[in-house]
Each structure stands twice: as C-alpha cells, then as structure tokens.
C-alpha cells in the first residue's frame, strides 16, 4: 500500500493530518473488506458479471482547499490510467465517506462520456 501526503497542507497547517491518498489498499485485509461487501459487489456485478478482480483501490482524503487550489482535480476519464482492456469490462466504483455536494467537491459525471473514444487530457489553467 502506498500512502501519499498533501504537501500544501503539511506546509500551511503542520498540525493537520496530511494523508491525501491510500493507493492499492487491496493489500490491506482490513481496508479491502469494504470492497467485498455484498452492497458494493452487487452493483459492480451488474457491469462485469460474477468474475470480479480488483486492479486498483484508492481512498482519497479531500479536505477543504488551503487557498492554493491544490485540492481541485480536473474532469478526466479514468480509463487513461488503466493499462488493461477490454474497456467495457472495467468498472470504477466510487463511494463518498461523508456527505458531499457541489460546494465541497462531489464526484461529477458527464452523461455518455463512458461511450466513444477517450478525450485528450490536460490540466486547466486555474484563475
């Protein structure tokens, strides 16, 4: 498992928890247990069928922005980050761990973007 820290939070608020991501927590029995909950598996199986394999797991901690716009992440297609195929058998399941809405950074999905080709990705210039 890889633990990533948010450097901007560490510099601006040294007493705060700076863990921003846990990558590949499928190697942690305790954390991976969440991925095997029947409430999660039943939805993933709707897309993949019963033969499910976890290829990547990630927990993201997105606290309020420190004013440097470092917690903002541009729209993107996750398929760019997955080197395996077929694309129509890859499912990303996202679960908020607290109440989220537009004001605090909820997940945004553009209908239909899962069909067709991948779009070019680049980070926008922040104002």
């Amino acid at each position: 498992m890889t633990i990533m820290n948010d450097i901007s939070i560490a510099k601006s608020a040294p007493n705060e928890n700076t863990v921003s991501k846990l990558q590949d927590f499928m190697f942690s029995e305790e954390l991976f247990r969440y991925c095997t909950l029947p409430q999660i598996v039943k939805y993933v199986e709707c897309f993949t069928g019963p033969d499910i394999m976890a290829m990547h797991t990630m927990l993201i901690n997105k606290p309020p922005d420190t004013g440097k716009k470092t917690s903002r992440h541009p729209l993107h297609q996750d398929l760019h980050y997955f080197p395996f195929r077929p694309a129509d058998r890859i499912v990303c399941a996202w679960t908020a761990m607290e109440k989220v809405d537009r004001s605090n950074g909820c997940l945004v999905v553009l209908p239909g973007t899962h069909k067709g080709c991948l779009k070019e990705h680049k980070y926008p210039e922040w104002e």
Side-chain angles (χ1 to χ4, degrees):
M1 180 167 61
T2 302
I3 299 172
M4 301 171 79
N5 295 301
D6 186 319
I7 294 172
S8 71
I9 294 173
K11 288 179 179 177
S12 65
N15 295 326
E16 294 294 319
N17 182 354
T18 63
V19 173
S20 58
K21 289 183 186 177
L22 299 178
Q23 299 261 77
D24 298 319
F25 68 77
M26 61 203 174
F27 300 117
S28 164
E29 184 178 336
E30 183 69 24
L31 291 173
F32 190 70
R33 193 170 351 163
Y34 174 78
C35 297
T36 63
L37 289 173
Q39 303 93 305
I40 301 296
V41 172
K42 78 176 184 180
Y43 290 107
V44 174
E45 283 182 333
C46 292
F47 298 95
T48 64
D51 189 17
I52 299 172
M53 179 185 301
M55 299 303 294
H56 180 65
T57 52
M58 180 171 31
L59 188 144
I60 302 173
N61 175 32
K62 290 179 71 174
D65 192 80
T66 60
K68 299 181 182 192
K69 299 182 180 175
T70 56
S71 69
R72 296 171 71 181
H73 196 76
L75 292 175
H76 64 279
Q77 293 168 295
D78 285 348
L79 195 57
H80 273 287
Y81 307 107
F82 301 143
F84 40 86
R85 298 292 185 269
D88 64 343
R89 306 299 286 169
I90 299 171
V91 176
C92 295
W94 184 88
T95 306
M97 298 183 74
E98 61 184 69
K99 187 174 178 148
V100 293
D101 57 38
R102 286 181 183 257
S103 69
N104 69 356
C106 65
L107 176 70
V108 175
V109 177
L110 299 177
T113 55
H114 64 292
K115 299 176 182 177
C117 62
L118 290 173
K119 308 292 185 211
E120 181 181 339
H121 282 197
K122 59 185 174 183
Y123 281 83
E125 292 190 28
W126 302 117
E127 296 175 2

